[in-house]
Amino acid sequence: MRKIMIIGAGDLGQRVCAELAHSDRQWQIRLVGRDGETLRRQVNLIRFSSLQRGFHSRLDHALTDLNDIDRTAEVIAEFAPDVVFLAASLQSWWVISTLPAERFQRLYAANFGPWLPMHLAPVHKAMQAIQAADSQAIVVNAAYPDAVHPVLAGAGLAPHIGIGNVANNVPALRYSAGAILDIAPAEVDVRMVTHHYVSHRLSRTTDISPTQLRIAILAEGRDVVPDIGLVPLLKPLTSDYRRTGGLAGQAMTAASAVSVLLPLLEQREAMVHAPGPLGLPGGYPVVVGPGPLRLALPPGLAKDEAVAINQSGQVGDGIRAIGDDGSVLFEESTMDVMRWELGYHCLKMPLSEAEDRARELAARFARYQERQSHA
Ligand SMILES: NC(=O)c1ccc[n+]([C@@H]2O[C@H](COP(=O)([O-])OP(=O)(O)OC[C@H]3O[C@@H](n4cnc5c(N)ncnc54)[C@H](OP(=O)(O)O)[C@@H]3O)[C@@H](O)[C@H]2O)c1
């Protein structure tokens, strides 16, 4: 029986766990977190609701704190998963959206890149544990894979593939193209290359630099986007096909995660969209399954060109460059926002400093939140 371990029992980890448990397919699921009583109740909620719906899930839990790499390695080695799904983070993307609206907008202007240490630090620890456990599992990561994976690639510790971001827009694009071409959305073959920076904006604007996005819609093997036009294709994503965002919108992310996890568990080939495959920056169409992952790029687009599109989006997110050794150069303009709002400033971060930077960010953000609640 195939086994999946979900590490990180927050909102997304629980959603994905429930999606996998509410099924009659034969696999074993272990949800891993660091708070025993909370975790027990979460797992009970999922397995009881699964049983109530007539399914026979095999779900249990294990305890570890990712800061304890040896313990985490033991937990992994003991279960020997085929697939590991990482959903741990020190501060999920939605946390700043809980600030008062005006403060949120000010901090949001810094974009997502400066928050990289909050996602990188726990994934780095999880990957060290996976390596120490000598696990052969395929590792799928949710936490900012567009940037976390190329950073960890330098240390040979990149998860195999990410989930979400680029993928979260694909269903709306299939609806949009389907309406234009007068075919069912399920028949639309999309190939999209873009970074988190752009995928995050597609539900709000069509004003996207062509250097940061490539979309092909394949009909009988031919790309019809030049016939349709990019703006008519994208415009409905900001109106008729806009979806609920925020925490509730993580249902879309969970579905994107399942789109990657199911073929890996079932060992069947599938074309999906995912960020951070093969340690690359940004998002791509990818074939996953029993064999090695491979890119499934739009026709005529070379791998180097696809990477350049994503590196351009990466700059938009506030990350100027990621070195081969995993060191990160941040954009000055976005760091100016962080300095002004939080007193945080970091233009260069070697991987070895990510954890300290995460701690500093957490402390400064906590003080910022505190000040807002007394304002
Ligand atoms: N790619 C996408 O499209 C997409 C979309 C949505 C979310 N995400 C990302 O997915 C990640 C998870 O999001 P979320 O909304 O589920 O966040 P969340 O609800 O805050 O969950 C994060 C979990 O990580 C756990 N964690 C943190 N440090 C840990 C440690 N040292 N040991 C064990 N567990 C630890 C937390 O445990 P405690 O509760 O004990 O603190 C929490 O359960 C974030 O990086 C988020 O930005 C990605």
Side-chain angles (χ1 to χ4, degrees), residues 10-12 34 65-66 89 92 94 119 142 163 165 168 250 253:
D11 184 79
L12 189 61
R34 59 178 168 178
D65 188 315
L66 286 169
S89 167
S92 191
W94 49 265
H119 308 276
I163 61 96
N165 297 337
N168 296 341
Q250 294 209 145
T253 314

Side-chain angles (χ1 to χ4, degrees), residues 47-375:
R47 59 183 168 195
F48 297 164
S49 54
S50 173
L51 182 61
Q52 195 78 316
R53 293 174 58 183
F55 300 123
H56 305 279
S57 60
R58 287 169 179 76
L59 166 64
D60 60 15
H61 68 274
L63 270 177
T64 191
D65 188 315
L66 286 169
N67 293 317
D68 185 342
I69 293 174
D70 291 343
R71 163 73 189 150
T72 307
E74 270 172 35
V75 164
I76 294 165
E78 198 263 316
F79 187 61
D82 299 292
V83 179
V84 172
F85 178 58
L86 299 177
S89 167
L90 301 179
Q91 185 174 305
S92 191
W93 66 272
W94 49 265
V95 174
I96 68 165
S97 72
T98 61
L99 289 166
E102 188 256 338
R103 285 287 153 174
F104 164 62
Q105 286 306 335
R106 287 167 66 154
L107 208 45
Y108 180 75
N111 292 310
F112 200 54
W115 299 99
L116 170 64
M118 307 303 245
H119 308 276
L120 176 58
V123 178
H124 188 198
K125 294 234 162 112
M127 292 308 296
Q128 288 172 273
I130 287 165
Q131 192 176 57
D134 205 16
S135 168
Q136 298 306 307
I138 301 279
V139 185
V140 181
N141 166 50
Y144 200 16
D146 305 68
V148 165
H149 293 196
V151 172
L152 290 179
L157 287 172
H160 293 89
I161 188 168
I163 61 96
N165 297 337
V166 64
N168 296 341
N169 290 294
V170 170
L173 270 175
R174 295 174 84 185
Y175 265 87
S176 177
I180 294 167
L181 299 171
D182 197 22
I183 58 174
E187 286 167 29
V188 175
D189 185 353
V190 173
R191 306 291 167 100
M192 172 156 56
V193 173
T194 206
H195 194 270
H196 165 273
Y197 173 71
V198 172
S199 52
H200 178 61
R201 279 166 176 70
L202 282 175
S203 61
R204 297 181 189 82
T205 180
T206 57
D207 186 16
I208 306 285
S209 163
T211 61
Q212 296 180 344
L213 173 67
R214 174 68 66 87
I215 299 178
I217 305 287
L218 300 184
E220 291 167 5
R222 192 177 73 83
D223 178 16
V224 297
V225 171
D227 309 336
I228 298 173
L230 195 56
V231 171
L233 182 67
L234 295 181
K235 184 96 181 106
L237 274 64
T238 67
S239 52
D240 287 2
Y241 298 128
R242 190 160 180 183
R243 63 181 194 278
T244 302
L247 252 187
Q250 294 209 145
M252 187 66 244
T253 314
S256 296
V258 169
S259 78
V260 173
L261 295 171
L262 280 191
L264 293 174
L265 284 168
E266 292 173 344
Q267 294 185 285
R268 65 175 161 82
E269 205 165 82
M271 212 285 289
V272 299
H273 281 80
L278 308 163
L280 296 173
Y284 308 80
V286 188
V287 174
V288 295
L293 305 178
R294 61 179 196 277
L295 302 181
L297 296 173
L301 187 72
K303 180 180 165 191
D304 287 358
E305 294 171 305
V307 169
I309 288 169
N310 278 308
Q311 284 171 332
S312 175
Q314 178 179 281
V315 172
D317 239 1
I319 297 174
R320 177 174 298 176
I322 296 173
D324 290 342
D325 60 351
S327 59
V328 182
L329 296 180
F330 293 97
E331 278 293 303
E332 236 168 291
S333 54
T334 67
M335 271 306 159
D336 283 348
V337 177
M338 296 296 275
R339 175 157 53 188
W340 182 258
E341 292 301 313
L342 299 180
Y344 176 84
H345 193 254
C346 170
L347 287 179
K348 181 165 186 190
M349 182 183 75
L351 176 57
S352 58
E353 286 176 15
E355 192 177 354
D356 286 347
R357 287 299 183 178
R359 255 193 235 111
E360 183 190 346
L361 262 176
R364 289 186 183 278
F365 183 70
R367 283 202 292 278
Y368 188 76
Q369 269 179 315
E370 181 77 12
R371 283 202 302 276
Q372 303 320 313
S373 64
H374 292 127

